[in-house]
Amino acid sequence: MTKVYGTGTYDFRRHRVAEYPLAEPKPVEWSQKGGGGSLPSTITVSEIQRDRLTKIAESNWLKGSEKKKDFDPELVVKIYETELLVKEGQGNKPVPLQRVMILEVSQYLENYLWPHFDPVSATFEHVMSIIIMVNEKFRENVAAWVCFHDRKDVFKEFLERVIRLKEGRELNIAEKTNYLVFMINAFQSLEDEVVSMTVLRLASLKSWYSLSYGRFQMELCLNPGLVKKWKRMLKKEPVKGGHHLDPSTAVEVKFLRNLIEEFLEVILDSQVFSQRQLSGEDDEVIDETGLWLINDACVLYCERFMEFLIDLLSQLPTRRYLRPLVADVAVVAKCHLSALYRHEKGKLFAQLVDLLQFYEGFEINDHTGVQLTDHEVLESHYSRLQSFQLLAFKKIDKLRELALTNIGSIHTRANLSKKLSVLSPEELRDLVCCKLKLVSKEDPWSERVDFLIEIMVSYFEKQQSQKEAINALPLYPNEQIMWDESVVPSINYSGEGCLALPKLNLQFLTLHDYLLRNFNLFRLESTYEIREDIQEAIPHLLAYINIDGETAFRGWSRMGVPIKQFRIAEVKQPNIGEVKPASVTAEVTYSISSYRSHIRSEWDALKEHDVLFLLTIRPSFEPLSTEEENKASVPQKLGLQYVRGCEVIEIRDEEGTLMNDFSGKIKREDWKPPKGELRTVTVALDTAQYHMDVNNIAEKGGEDVYGTFNVLMRRKPKENNFKAILESIRDLMNEYCIVPKWLENIFLGYGDPSAAQWTNMPDLLETVDFKDTFLDADHLKGSFSDYEVTFVNSDGTENLNPSPPFKIKLPRTLKGSNAALPGSAVSTSAAANNVNMVDANHQKEKLIIETYTPPDPGPYPQDQPKQNSVRFTPTQLIPYPLIWNFGWCCSTAVPVRERKVENMGSNIHTNCDLLFLGSLTVEAIISGIQPGLTMVVGPPGTGKTDTAVQVLNVLYHNCPSQRTLIITHSNQALNDLFEKIMQRDVPARYLLRLGQGEQELATDLDFSRQGRVNAMLVRRLELLNEVERLARSLQLPEDVGYTCETAGYFWLLHVYSRWEQFLAACAENKEKATFVRDRFPFKEFFSDTPHPVFTGKSFEKDMRAALGCFRHLKTMFQELEECRAFELLKSTADRANYLMTKQAKIVAMTCTHAALKRKDFLQLGFKYDNLLMEESAQILEIETFIPMLLQRQEDGHARLKRCILIGDHHQLPPVVKNMAFQKYSHMDQSLFTRFVRLGIPYIELNAQGRARPSIAKLYNWRYRDLGDLPYLKEAAIFNRANAGFAYDYQLVDVPDHNGKGETTPSPWFYQNEGEAEYIVSVYIYMRLLGYPASKISILTTYNGQKLLIRDVINRRCVPYNFIGPPSKVATVDKFQGQQNDFILLSLVRTRFVGHLRDVRRLVVAMSRARLGLYVFCRRSLFEQCYELQPTFQLLLKRPDHLALNMNEITSYTERNAEDPGPRHHVHLVSGIEEMSSIIDRLYQEKMRYQFEQNGSYFSHPEPSVNANEVQNGQQNADIDMLEQKDDMPHEIGETITVDNNVPGDIPSKSSMEVDGVSHLEQSVNTDKVQDRQPIVDTDVPEKDDKPSESSEATTVDNHVAGDIPPERRMEDGTVVEGNAGVANGSPAP
């Protein structure tokens, strides 16, 4: 292939981030002190086992060790000094990372350091070791403080030791960095009660004792309210000997000041730069002068210190008293003047200093927490300058000119510096230190003139407002930010260093701060993804320099096309008050001649608002040398010069005809296919970026970027919606956006966590009609067992025989209302409210329940409301320190024989009378229908969707005029929710589904905007026909049914008037039984009812029926009135908008759609009162926030009344592709999870209905009290064993296979060949027994292993039609929200645990199986992981070799699930080879059995083609498929039916040798795997582009077991074929 100059040998596949850094392997001397020093990246398991640390752990603290030595403090000291301590000059990192990781894996902290920690006698090394191990837990994103909570008092004393650790001891630079990182982590953990109580003291008012006297006076003058607080604090000071103790001796007084001064005086210049001879160490670099050495360890410390201060200033509790301290010491000014700030190696440090400066001057009142408006900031600035001018006029003659000049001419940096230059150094010092008191005179820096000028300028210059700054920022990334590693890190981020990024903390300063941080992070995450796409697309173009010296292209790229012509079409004048143009449009011409038809159609599908990228490629004329290659950046290797984004306005073909017009300019009948091969697209450029580029040309003589573009790049539509979301965030920052007052403080993380609970809200619904929620009186009594329930009629009399429906008058102090469990701590108010509940003798309060007879809905079947069949019954109480949580389970009170249970993911046959569906909570329903914030935690299988549906149903009937917005993360979840709402009594005309996923709704009706409009128009015609029929029955002209308007007049003049006359006559003839039947005016109209309407035997019964008939008529004319707008509005768009903004009562969409269309919703005047968000723990913070603000405020108040968040923070969080944003910035934190961390009360559903109780125990420890629904213990399906297996779940230990454990064919692409082969062998075993393929899924924790397993399946299963592929082969992350009967799970790793240490991933992995879970992993690794202990302790109670019941050769068994079977029937499989031989024997036994039963007629002939042909043909086909799509063929939506009358050869591993070549070896050919992998693997979960994969599984008919006698057929067993699913013993009818 032609060498492409300028691209080098760069690997352009997508890169991800590992959980530890990889370096080139270096020879290791194992005799080194400390057992090997820094281990190489290629360390194997055997090397870890041989390592000195591992041996020490085995003899001292490792669990499972037979003989453990007593605690030896000297051992801790020795390990610290030899393994953990980085001495001066030994390296630029604060810890030897892999040594720490080995200690972490061995549970050094949990089993040795912490259990033996004594606050009095513990050594310095012991404390520092704990600090380092805690830091490692934070780096790996696992819970760090859990093990400390068993000794809270000691934990508090440990933190006190840490605070005083520096007293009387000098730490080296690495120790200082580790200490600082620990403090950063502590201040990021304010939700932990012990941590927050300890560390917040350090940022209290007491710290002001360390302020200079002038600054102290200034702060008290600016905040008079603090004077009283200061005096009160003085009175509380401890007294000794009749005198107050000197407060300056308290640790909290000097702690932060000492840290800052140590940073400034010792670190910043004197150690970062040192003038000495080179020592040859790698961490020292000579700068341009050749004299100064740069210590990278000191640079890292400086960066970390900036991060520390930024964290403290960006949280209100720490900012309030710390900001004056930072200003007093003038940290920012001194950093600006430091040599490091200006040095090339200090680029990240400089960015952090600028971020610190931003937060120091943040527009907020520190003491009230109120955001300052732009006007208030400006007024404050002018007031400051005016006061300074007055002072100058009175006291400083030299500054008389400054005092008399206008403010506009002195508030810039240059002008102010010039005016102050007239003062002598002494005068300037006197002005700054004595008159203005901006810094202390004792500060040694006060001698420097440049420092004093910097202080003055930074205090008095006009700062750019935050709104101006955000509006001047381009929305599209350019090449400069794209490859700035300190802002958008790529593959080398391991969590060791810090970055110039904002963090999503528990708390935010203001809403603007919240939006700004999210805006920056979302923009940078998008930048990272765009950068990856560019790196993927550009190399395929094969750019080179032609003989004319211009860039040309030899190749082609699917996503990038060379530009034929580019020109700027129009630049509009700036808007008033702005400097950037109002708009800039350009025309881009390109050719699609080189593309095949399907790629042409992709380019021709471009439409308005799609985002494209304009690139300038200039490869080097000569290839890069090896040395240049190593030094070159990615853009240099690509030859990439410029990147600019743009948005499509319109696209035209070669003849200039408009394509893809959705505005209505071209009528549908006039549309013609595009002509020619040239396309011209008109695009809108980013005006802010254009303004910056033009200024660069004018001021610096830069190149004209817009004359150089030569490539146009597109992206996949689903990944390319970032601009609309960024615009939505920016619009919110420019608005005075109002979050509801009841939610604002909680949203920012302040105030009482329970303030937004319904019990604390005004305007409650005093009486709630629960409609069909309760099925009978006993049901209701059971749900309110704490009350003495009294039933009354509507007139107040007692009802002795009550029947539903019921209305309940809810008391504000409803018991159980505090059932919402706080996320971290119990609120005292909640505890106080529940004290009386503990008293068993306390008399029960009365609860008045009003019963009423619902009115007759009408005489036709369609008039009858849809009834709820779910019984909510209390199962148990969840005690939690004086707080009670009521859990309710449900059952279908309908005897069923065969019923599809959608929320279980399979079809279930049952002959039990009641079928339980899930765990619902009456408390959640009560809380959800009342105003305020409701949070519901739904563990796996507890029925979160059913909870949401019941809330919506009751809410609709109690507040029919209110509108509700439903938001979910995925289309699949939204459709599930929507389908269930339709089964309740909510009219279809009030439901609307927006977005791209409505076509996937499994319903007969179309709920998209167009579908609803069409339905309303059809319904209008139906109703008008009914009106005409009514007119005929009344012997009136039929033209009254011509329009909705005439029908309305007809209702008033003829229908309603007749009804009133009828009522008046009835009032006088109540004693006549036949009067209603004889005189009812619309009798003829209702003559077509299925049953006679009137009996003539009872006036009351007939009158009730007459009222029902009139209700039918009233509803009919009400619907017609609603159709009237669709009659008046003529365009489809207007009708659709009316439907969305006025007609629909329940509107559903995904969070992405809400963010994309926010501007449209505001323009249309979209309104809603309630917000229900499902999957809210999987939605990014900002994507949760935007749906709260899709409407304009009404008179300055937010309309939103209810916010219901349903999710599970114990499962996986939102997907963030870049590990740096996830680890450092916590971008994967959802709003739901943050609320839980803040301690906001939530309701936890507590009964699961998915998995066997035994399997549920593997993950229910993560929840407070997760139980099982009764039917899980009663139904035979869950009590019968899995045929062929001794256990229903098991951990299978997989040793090295062919001498290998985990491998990485390419970096961070983890695979484990042994586990892949073993898992597929077990799958084949299950298929030979008769288990349906559709009931088995194979999961793994890494993309690399997923592709390897698919290779093995393609080779060993797909060619044999009686085996076939399983239902799914997927990663755990992508399988979240799905389930199957049997799960085979591969954990892959054998060296380090990897990202499964995130317990949330473990919970998802363990909770996907219903009947069987088999985990294949390396036991010795995972059993030592502290975070996973509860699950793995349960798994390891069973044998770690796969236990098979060899007596069972079909999928049927009568054996109980808890009975492994007789000992002689249970066989422990030794390994992969034995499993293959078992498959062989099982296959031969089945063939022999069939032959004996059926004779030679049923014998299976040899395959018509040899195994090699079958396999190679199939494998090639699957490789092609995988190149096109990263899913199995049947996951695209096809249902594959495999006829397996001819089983062919046995697909065992041993039979796959063909021509002396093992196909196993072929399957792990790294070149092949790497060539077709679409995404390079890592610990980052894969992005779920299509959250809802097709649920249609492969159907494989006619199993090998098909000829087995009837008494042993699989239909009678645990597993049945096809749609029958899992049976429980009785054959299907």
Side-chain angles (χ1 to χ4, degrees), residues 204 390 464 520 532 659 749 959 1113-1114 1274 1446 1511 1543:
S204 65
L390 194 60
Q464 185 183 27
N520 286 326
E532 296 288 298
M659 298 164 53
C959 308
L1113 293 175
K1114 188 177 180 180
E1274 297 163 2
M1446 304 302 290
Q1511 177 209 319

Side-chain angles (χ1 to χ4, degrees), residues 1402-1462:
L1402 178 79
V1403 168
V1404 174
M1406 295 295 124
S1407 61
R1408 300 305 98 196
R1410 297 184 58 244
L1411 301 175
L1413 173 65
Y1414 302 95
V1415 183
F1416 298 78
C1417 67
R1418 182 63 55 89
R1419 170 181 177 161
S1420 59
L1421 175 66
F1422 288 93
E1423 72 177 330
Q1424 295 299 333
C1425 183
Y1426 177 75
E1427 289 78 19
L1428 313 182
Q1429 286 291 300
T1431 293
F1432 279 84
Q1433 284 173 1
L1434 275 175
L1435 287 169
L1436 292 173
K1437 286 182 179 178
R1438 298 179 175 182
D1440 63 0
H1441 285 65
L1442 183 63
L1444 302 180
N1445 193 308
M1446 304 302 290
N1447 195 45
E1448 296 167 348
I1449 62 167
T1450 71
S1451 59
Y1452 171 77
T1453 179
E1454 287 286 353
R1455 182 165 49 89
N1456 189 279
E1458 297 178 0
D1459 175 22

Side-chain angles (χ1 to χ4, degrees), residues 642-662:
Y642 304 113
V643 179
R644 297 291 182 268
C646 58
E647 183 178 307
V648 175
I649 297 174
E650 63 180 28
I651 179 170
R652 295 181 182 270
D653 64 13
E654 198 164 330
E655 296 181 358
T657 305
L658 200 60
M659 298 164 53
N660 302 342
D661 175 56
F662 298 97

Side-chain angles (χ1 to χ4, degrees), residues 4 221 1564:
V4 184
C221 288
V1564 292

Side-chain angles (χ1 to χ4, degrees), residues 49-66:
Q49 291 169 349
R50 290 200 309 267
D51 189 75
R52 176 169 171 255
L53 282 179
T54 307
K55 292 178 179 177
I56 292 173
E58 286 172 352
S59 59
N60 287 277
W61 66 78
L62 209 58
K63 284 192 175 180
S65 301
E66 295 179 2

Side-chain angles (χ1 to χ4, degrees), residues 304-321:
R304 282 292 193 183
F305 197 86
M306 286 296 102
E307 178 193 353
F308 177 59
L309 290 184
I310 290 166
D311 284 354
L312 294 182
L313 290 184
S314 59
Q315 296 183 115
L316 203 55
T318 50
R319 172 190 179 85
R320 188 168 280 137
Y321 302 117

Side-chain angles (χ1 to χ4, degrees), residues 617-759:
I617 308 293
R618 285 185 194 146
S620 58
F621 190 74
E622 293 293 332
L624 300 175
S625 65
T626 306
E627 186 179 349
E628 289 172 334
E629 184 75 38
N630 294 333
K631 292 181 180 178
S633 64
V634 176
Q636 288 170 336
K637 293 175 184 177
L638 288 170
L640 183 66
Q641 297 289 318
Y642 304 113
V643 179
R644 297 291 182 268
C646 58
E647 183 178 307
V648 175
I649 297 174
E650 63 180 28
I651 179 170
R652 295 181 182 270
D653 64 13
E654 198 164 330
E655 296 181 358
T657 305
L658 200 60
M659 298 164 53
N660 302 342
D661 175 56
F662 298 97
S663 62
K665 294 177 190 172
I666 298 178
K667 294 180 180 178
R668 182 169 296 181
E669 56 269 21
D670 295 337
W671 183 86
K672 295 176 183 177
K675 301 286 180 66
E677 295 176 340
L678 288 180
R679 301 286 180 266
T680 300
V681 59
T682 305
V683 296
L685 301 175
D686 190 303
T687 55
Q689 182 69 59
Y690 182 82
H691 179 67
M692 290 164 58
D693 291 332
V694 170
N695 279 355
N696 186 51
I697 296 170
E699 295 172 8
K700 301 179 182 177
E703 184 179 17
D704 180 9
V705 176
Y706 298 92
T708 64
F709 297 134
N710 52 16
V711 173
L712 182 69
M713 194 191 87
R714 63 186 175 91
R715 299 177 70 218
K716 292 178 183 176
K718 285 201 172 184
E719 299 173 359
N720 210 23
N721 51 29
F722 71 97
K723 179 179 179 284
I725 295 175
L726 288 175
E727 277 186 328
S728 293
I729 304 173
R730 188 168 69 178
D731 290 345
L732 284 170
M733 283 191 276
N734 282 303
E735 296 171 11
Y736 181 55
C737 66
I738 299 179
V739 175
K741 286 294 180 188
W742 53 268
L743 188 60
E744 185 171 358
N745 284 341
I746 283 177
F747 187 84
L748 293 174
Y750 306 109
D752 178 9
S754 62
Q757 259 193 296
W758 70 271
T759 50

Side-chain angles (χ1 to χ4, degrees), residues 816-1011:
S817 65
N818 288 314
L821 303 176
S824 53
V826 183
S827 68
T828 53
S829 60
N833 289 341
N834 285 277
V835 169
N836 294 333
M837 294 174 65
V838 183
D839 186 0
N841 299 319
H842 182 69
Q843 186 177 358
K844 288 186 177 182
E845 294 180 28
K846 283 191 177 183
L847 188 67
I848 307 298
I849 311 294
E850 180 188 330
T851 64
Y852 69 96
T853 303
D856 190 311
Y860 295 103
Q862 63 266 28
D863 293 331
Q864 303 304 313
K866 297 172 185 174
Q867 291 293 327
N868 165 51
S869 59
V870 177
R871 174 176 288 271
F872 306 96
T873 54
T875 52
Q876 64 192 97
L877 293 172
I878 297 185
Y880 186 72
L882 297 180
I883 289 185
W884 302 88
N885 183 20
F886 291 85
W888 283 263
C889 71
C890 63
S891 66
T892 301
V894 181
V896 290
R897 182 65 176 170
E898 179 176 345
R899 180 182 179 87
K900 184 174 180 182
V901 186
E902 294 181 5
N903 67 329
M904 293 182 182
S906 64
N907 303 327
I908 294 181
H909 290 268
T910 177
N911 54 11
C912 60
D913 290 334
L914 294 177
L915 183 64
F916 295 88
L917 291 180
S919 171
L920 294 177
T921 304
V922 169
E923 170 61 26
I925 297 169
I926 294 173
S927 179
I929 60 178
Q930 295 285 15
L933 175 66
T934 298
M935 289 180 57
V936 180
V937 173
T942 53
K944 296 184 282 290
T945 305
D946 295 309
T947 305
V949 169
Q950 192 62 20
V951 169
L952 289 168
N953 186 32
V954 178
L955 187 58
Y956 166 75
H957 287 290
N958 282 272
C959 308
S961 63
Q962 293 186 8
R963 310 183 74 225
T964 302
L965 177 64
I966 302 173
I967 298 287
T968 66
H969 171 250
S970 66
N971 280 310
Q972 181 62 49
L974 191 58
N975 290 340
D976 289 345
L977 188 65
F978 213 74
E979 287 165 19
K980 290 185 177 182
I981 294 171
M982 289 160 50
Q983 297 167 11
R984 301 303 170 93
D985 187 26
V986 180
R989 67 182 186 275
Y990 293 142
L991 301 176
L992 179 63
R993 163 77 164 86
L994 299 178
Q996 297 297 316
E998 70 264 7
Q999 62 270 20
E1000 297 168 12
L1001 270 172
T1003 60
D1004 296 330
L1005 302 176
D1006 184 353
F1007 285 92
S1008 65
R1009 278 194 287 185
Q1010 189 60 52

